[in-house]
Amino acid sequence: MTENVCTQCGNKHIVINRKYNGQKLCSHCFKESIEKQVLKTIKKQKLITKNDKVLVGLSGGKDSVALLKILNILKEKNIIELEAVTIDEGIGGYREEGIRIAKQTAEKLGVKHHIVSFKDKYNFTIDDIMEYQKTVDKPQHACTYCGVFRRQIFNQVAREIKATKLATGHNLDDETQSIMMNYLEGNINNMVRIGYKTESSDERFTQKIKPLRKIPEKEIGLYVVESGFEVHFDGCPYAHESFRMEIGDFIRDATLKHPTIMYSTLNGFEKIRPAIKEQYLKQQTGKPNGTCKKCGEPASQDICKACKFLEEIQQQLGV
Ligand code: SF4
Ligand code: ZN
């Protein structure tokens, strides 16, 4: 029978038993292993270079709190500059708590923090949009709108503060879900964009990076708790309606019997990604890297998606 002690240091208080690689770790060795793994990913995938100014999308959820804490190691070593931005989409009963924790985390780490709300910027909230959607025949999903406006705000803040990288807390579960979702939907366009970092030749886009991409969601939650940071585990009330949620449940179930399945999905995808990308990009040549005529943001058509949605919502809500 194997002993129930930390496989690194022999400490008897283990906090995790990693079924996928047989490691049992105490709190100290576990936290160290997470930090090492993330910093190794950053180095290997060339996500950050010295003197980068990194902006973290800080929702106050466990992923972004963990990300800020780990990137703060690089800030403290004077390798990077670090700031954080929280977006208040106006989701009652959910976002308030995230904002409180985001503020508290940034303060604790001494990181400059920006908060931008949909209400201030667009004069409506996601709750307003969804109230209206209840009255139509074919209601749209909240994430369809939310994602587009969030992206626009992230890009704008990154440009305003002259950030060179925009870091998000996507974890292994998120990435596996994205791969499966896009595959099942046949959405190759989105699939080729899944990666450690975005690759755009357009300088108006700040490069997006995902340093937590190889860390399972459960371990990120444990890392935050073991690090003594507060975290809210509640999910967005609109998320349960999504296809992503269904896929997430399926993968979580499969992981119980097959502990390595998320790693094999990600690793397998990384192997075929260059081939899909090459083949796909051949078909995409000639696609213009244009500018939205309304807002001046980068767009593939005359009017960007955010401006199209904005017009539609302003008409519907009369704002
Ligand atoms: Fe917005 Fe959807 Fe995320 Fe909720 S789950 S915050 S609606 S993108
Ligand atoms: Zn626009």
Side-chain angles (χ1 to χ4, degrees), residues 89 91 94-95 126 142-143 146-147 150 236 238-239:
E89 307 90 344
I91 303 173
Y94 162 69
R95 185 48 84 211
I126 285 293
C143 304
C146 191
R150 281 161 57 98
C236 172
Y238 296 120

Side-chain angles (χ1 to χ4, degrees), residues 41-43 45-58 67-68 71 74 79-85 114 154-168 196-200 203-211:
T41 298
I42 289 174
K43 201 169 173 190
Q45 302 296 334
K46 299 189 177 72
L47 303 187
I48 290 174
T49 48
K50 192 163 164 52
N51 297 330
D52 259 337
K53 183 170 189 176
V54 182
L55 176 67
V56 170
L58 180 67
L67 179 62
L68 195 70
L71 291 182
L74 298 177
I79 296 173
I80 59 165
E81 281 184 71
L82 187 62
E83 293 189 18
V85 59
H114 311 262
F154 274 139
N155 284 332
Q156 284 174 354
V157 175
R159 264 205 314 279
E160 275 162 29
I161 69 156
K162 298 196 168 49
T164 49
K165 301 284 158 66
L166 179 48
T168 56
Y196 287 98
K197 53 190 176 187
T198 52
E199 293 153 24
S200 170
E203 283 175 5
R204 293 167 300 172
F205 281 121
T206 309
Q207 188 175 46
K208 292 197 182 94
I209 57 170
K210 297 177 189 166

Side-chain angles (χ1 to χ4, degrees), residues 110-122:
V111 173
K112 191 171 176 188
H113 186 209
H114 311 262
I115 301 176
V116 183
S117 76
F118 277 22
K119 185 75 189 169
D120 286 346
K121 190 164 169 55
Y122 304 118

Side-chain angles (χ1 to χ4, degrees), residues 189-247:
N189 191 2
N190 283 350
M191 205 161 169
V192 288
R193 293 203 196 106
I194 304 171
Y196 287 98
K197 53 190 176 187
T198 52
E199 293 153 24
S200 170
S201 53
D202 192 326
E203 283 175 5
R204 293 167 300 172
F205 281 121
T206 309
Q207 188 175 46
K208 292 197 182 94
I209 57 170
K210 297 177 189 166
L212 303 185
R213 197 171 180 237
K214 286 176 96 170
I215 315 285
E217 187 179 310
K218 261 192 184 165
E219 294 199 14
I220 292 175
L222 184 61
Y223 173 80
V224 173
V225 172
E226 290 298 320
S227 300
F229 278 73
E230 197 186 340
V231 69
H232 79 131
F233 285 91
D234 293 345
C236 172
Y238 296 120
H240 69 271
E241 303 157 22
S242 68
F243 183 46
R244 175 177 288 277
M245 207 75 169
E246 283 177 50
I247 297 293

